[in-house]
Amino acid sequence: MPEPPPPPPVPARSSRRFPFPFPARPGPAAPGPAGRSQRRGGRAGGEGTPAAAPGSSTGTGSGTGILNRDPTPGPHPGIRGGRAPRDAIAVRRGRHDPRGARGPGPGRGLGLGPGRDRGEEPPPAPILRPCSLPVPSHRVPVQAWVGSLRHHRDLHRGLADLHPDVFAVRPRLDILHTVAMWQKNYKRISYAKVKSRAEVRGGGRKPWRQKGSGRARHGSIRSPLWRGGGISHGPRGPTSYFYMVPMKVRVLGLKVALTVKLMQDDLHIVDNLEMPSADPQYLLDLARFRHWGRSVLIVDVNEAPENIGAAAAGLKTINVIPALALSVHGLLKHQTLVLTVATVTFLEQTLLWHDGRYAPLYPFAMPYRDLTPPGLGPPPGCQRPPPGLGGTPRAG
């Protein structure tokens, strides 16, 4: 009895999602029907079909197409001088960059060349703004990129060290809610006012006699029981809803808001606010290109330059304010916060000064004021901010 023909070789596995060849299964496959063997053996590798030569694009053993079943790399027809389909597909899908300058990660986009692809460590980015205030020994400064408004792609000029006690505190949502509600209500005045029965015109005489008419007894047609009468227990405005929250709580609320913005990647730092054009469309295109969201708050210590002031004057979604006007409500209202390097220094010095002060800003018997008038010293028994700060930001 003649021996059955040997089964066709099992091809290397491949899939449509991952067309690169897998290693072939060890051991011979079980013989099956002739048609099934032909279908599993490849279109050119069944019975009655001559075997393809090694290196050709057909056959069971090797090929040069995307579905190459030979793990040995060969010339790829889609790329001149290519080595393997893996490199070709990676280049086509954008996963392999021979220049080594794709992506916004540290070390890329800074003109470092292809050293990243060769396995070399890229040089560290320059520190444009070191942290000038002392940092506790158990903590380290947090870092953020410093960009510029002069060009859309000018995103990574260097790094800025941020103090962890201002930009990396514990996120306290209860503090945020307390400060936001205080800032909303402390200057609220309700002017609602209604008239009582004594203020409504008319109703001076008794409508009818006390007894004998069969009707209920009444003394005035302007009673709260009557239509058109006075209102009992109504609002008697103007009513003030003023109350105060301790300064330490307001300062902590501002720190929590800055920390949340930084952790959510909604805080951006720029070297200054200089722009090449005063066109509002340039500022809108810049915010759209950098994915700043639907609203932007730009803060600077110094006076805003002429170009950005003119560009943001007619825009409803981009606002430019001084550092002293920064508040928790403004941070929560806007999606993106843009700070200058000088603003970061001012906020760190001011907010950390409040942590270490030992006396109240003003005597509790005096009315509340935000800033000390220029030329006047602090009240007796009170502490004044250090020189150079220029005041205290509105922590609420």
Side-chain angles (χ1 to χ4, degrees), residues 87-113:
D87 298 337
I89 294 179
V91 170
R92 187 173 63 184
R93 294 183 179 178
R95 299 176 183 174
H96 174 70
D97 188 8
R99 296 171 297 177
R102 290 178 61 94
R108 295 192 177 191
L110 300 175
L112 302 180

Side-chain angles (χ1 to χ4, degrees), residues 307-348:
N307 285 347
I308 192 171
L315 300 178
K316 296 182 179 180
T317 59
I318 300 179
N319 298 320
V320 181
I321 63 173
L324 288 177
L326 186 63
S327 63
V328 173
H329 178 76
L331 291 178
L332 298 181
K333 180 181 178 180
H334 296 81
Q335 183 174 351
T336 302
L337 176 65
V338 179
L339 303 177
T340 60
V341 176
T343 305
V344 172
T345 304
F346 171 78
L347 291 176
E348 289 181 353

Side-chain angles (χ1 to χ4, degrees), residues 99 129 267 281 381:
R99 296 171 297 177
R129 191 261 172 190
L267 190 150
Q281 190 62 37

